Amino acid sequence: MVARTPEPVQVVKQRRDDALAAIVAAIPYIQFLNVSFERRGDELTAVMAYRDTLIGNPALPALHGGAIAAFLEVAAVIELTWATAWAAIEDGTLTPEAITSGHQFALPKTIDFTVDYLRSGLPRDAYARATINRSGRRYASVHVEAWQDKRDRLFAQGTGHFLMPDANSAKAV
Amino acid sequence: MTKDNRAIAQSFIDAIPHSHALGMKIDFVGDGEAHMSMDYDERFIGDPATGVIHGGAVFALLDTCGGAAVISHPDHNGATATIDLRVDYMRPASPGQRIRAVATCYNRTRSVAFVRAVAMDDREDKPVATAAGAFVTGG
């Protein structure tokens, strides 16, 4: 067996970051909410940077429940998309250009989403991580946890079910 | 509801920065029921392949409408907050069409209000989404 030279670290990082950036940039509502993603290997953390337009109760003040729900749903959809596309991104069959063009790529569709508002969202940055608890051919079940200051003090959590894109329309699946 | 009441309700919604940013309008509010709407906007797109609005924007409309229904109940004083809300997405909203939501506060206790809501586009017979949730009543 011939030993293969490992890829240079910057090549690996660039490929993953470019693919993630292409997925995120494709969805206008993610920009509207001011959400970005931080990546460590395949682990993603969604970040909703604070803006005054995210406020739902100006008297407290507190983040809008709808903004929190959308943030959690975005984190779930991107995690699911990222996880299913990972192998194709790594072997180079799914390029950022293909993601942007949308021809080889489709997003999962939300069947239902439930948000549990544990405490009011403070006027500062929020973070979320999603866990795929079931990933089948037809649908997936995803849980999301969101926090602000302390990781183990959640201010919201959500669970959603998502219809997976048709295997014919998305090479990534 | 009189025109004055609707103007008051609209100014209340306009004072909520996120609802204002999404362009939410009050169409009716009173006695534990609220009707709201949100125009189609390309910034709200969730699926670029189809131009369909993001589920999160529909969720935000249903959540706001649910809160308005709770506040509009004759027994209610002050603000409210969502305890939990579940949204079922029945079908994609047709791109370009305004989304309307109708929320009803169908039961209230001293501390909790129960709400059901539905979202529609131009096809009123087939809902885009339905929602059910609990909201805080009073202090």
Side-chain angles (χ1 to χ4, degrees):
Chain A
M1 194 180 130
V2 182
R4 285 171 58 192
T5 318
E7 285 181 295
V9 62
Q10 61 271 29
V11 172
V12 176
K13 280 189 177 178
Q14 194 70 47
R15 177 177 63 233
R16 295 172 182 174
D17 287 341
D18 288 352
L20 179 60
I23 293 168
V24 172
I27 306 172
Y29 203 59
I30 296 183
Q31 274 62 252
F32 180 80
L33 287 172
N34 211 15
V35 171
S36 58
F37 286 81
E38 289 178 1
R39 187 189 63 77
R40 300 283 182 275
D42 73 340
E43 184 198 64
L44 299 182
T45 306
V47 182
M48 184 162 71
Y50 177 72
R51 268 183 195 172
D52 289 344
T53 52
L54 297 173
I55 289 292
N57 183 332
L60 287 175
L63 298 179
H64 195 289
I68 295 165
F71 174 48
L72 296 179
E73 197 177 324
V74 160
V77 169
I78 294 299
E79 177 66 38
L80 198 51
T81 304
W82 177 247
T84 49
W86 174 265
I89 292 165
E90 285 299 284
D91 69 20
T93 53
L94 184 65
T95 62
E97 294 72 30
I99 292 168
T100 305
S101 76
H103 293 311
Q104 290 184 307
F105 183 74
L107 292 164
K109 290 183 166 51
T110 313
I111 300 166
D112 59 66
F113 203 73
T114 307
V115 179
D116 191 1
Y117 297 96
L118 302 169
R119 37 183 70 83
S120 67
L122 302 167
R124 61 187 72 151
D125 293 359
Y127 312 100
R129 263 186 218 151
T131 310
I132 302 166
N133 287 323
R134 180 201 196 267
S135 182
R137 274 180 54 80
R138 297 178 69 187
Y139 83 91
S141 176
V142 184
H143 183 75
V144 195
E145 296 183 338
W147 72 98
Q148 292 189 299
D149 296 327
K150 296 189 73 171
R151 173 65 181 90
D152 55 4
R153 197 176 150 83
L154 305 181
F155 79 103
Q157 60 182 347
T159 300
H161 296 94
F162 299 87
L163 202 60
M164 300 308 290
D166 184 5
N168 298 321
S169 68
K171 213 177 170 185
V173 175
Chain B
M1 185 179 69
T2 65
K3 248 192 169 139
D4 276 358
N5 278 349
R6 195 165 73 194
I8 292 165
Q10 184 63 52
S11 66
F12 184 83
I13 293 298
D14 288 342
I16 303 173
H18 193 61
S19 302
H20 183 68
L22 287 163
M24 292 182 196
K25 297 272 186 295
I26 285 266
D27 300 318
F28 170 84
V29 57
D31 294 339
E33 190 173 313
H35 301 194
M36 292 184 66
S37 55
M38 183 175 77
D39 282 337
Y40 183 80
D41 190 315
E42 288 182 352
R43 293 174 302 159
F44 307 161
I45 290 173
D47 190 344
T50 56
V52 170
I53 293 289
H54 195 278
V58 179
F59 199 114
L61 179 67
L62 288 164
D63 180 42
T64 309
C65 196
V70 172
I71 289 171
S72 77
H73 196 279
D75 298 342
H76 192 85
N77 280 311
T80 185
T82 321
I83 298 169
D84 88 304
L85 191 68
R86 172 192 168 111
V87 175
D88 292 308
Y89 298 94
M90 306 292 172
R91 66 175 175 95
S94 300
Q97 294 182 8
R98 187 173 70 126
I99 298 173
R100 293 187 305 114
V102 174
T104 314
C105 174
Y106 64 92
N107 192 26
R108 276 177 69 91
T109 71
R110 207 147 43 94
S111 46
V112 185
F114 298 91
V115 170
R116 276 194 282 254
V118 58
M120 295 150 287
D121 57 15
D122 291 353
R123 272 198 69 179
E124 293 191 13
D125 57 324
K126 278 194 89 181
V128 163
T130 61
F135 289 73
V136 178
T137 60

